[in-house]
Amino acid sequence: MAPRGRTPVFLERGNYRQRRVIDAVRLLAVLGAVLWMIPLLWPTGDAADGAGMPMSRALSYVFAVWFFLICTGAFLVSRMRRARQDGSEPAGSGDA
């Protein structure tokens, strides 16, 4: 039991998991930006030996990253909704 006026050091398991899912949602935007910047590191088609990355592969990569971000975001949102329905939401942070 924590003394009066101090918050406990550890969170309940449900609250802890919900906060980690929220952290993952926030980190997803950063991950998406980093993944979309990777094509900037690829060699261009200006090289004399033709070692550039074809535009078709670059576009396929961009759309694959886009699809991955959408699916991952949908999964994380479903986890957040499930945690809210289970009643593990902290008191005082409801929608009403």
Side-chain angles (χ1 to χ4, degrees), residues 13 16 18 24 34 62 69 76 84 91 95:
R13 182 172 284 176
Y16 178 79
Q18 185 177 7
V34 169
V62 168
L69 291 173
L76 291 173
R84 181 178 286 180
D95 292 334

Side-chain angles (χ1 to χ4, degrees), residues 6 10 12 22-23 25 28 33 39 52 55 62 73 82 89 96:
R6 294 185 58 182
F10 298 104
E12 295 178 17
I22 291 171
D23 290 343
V25 169
L28 189 62
M55 183 64 75
V62 168
R82 190 175 345 153
E89 184 176 15

Side-chain angles (χ1 to χ4, degrees), residues 24-65:
V25 169
R26 291 177 182 158
L27 190 63
L28 189 62
V30 175
L31 176 66
V34 169
L35 288 175
W36 271 336
M37 287 184 193
I38 288 176
L40 296 174
L41 301 173
W42 293 344
T44 61
D46 296 342
D49 58 1
M53 180 65 65
M55 183 64 75
S56 60
R57 279 197 186 163
L59 286 176
S60 297
Y61 172 80
V62 168
F63 281 109
V65 168

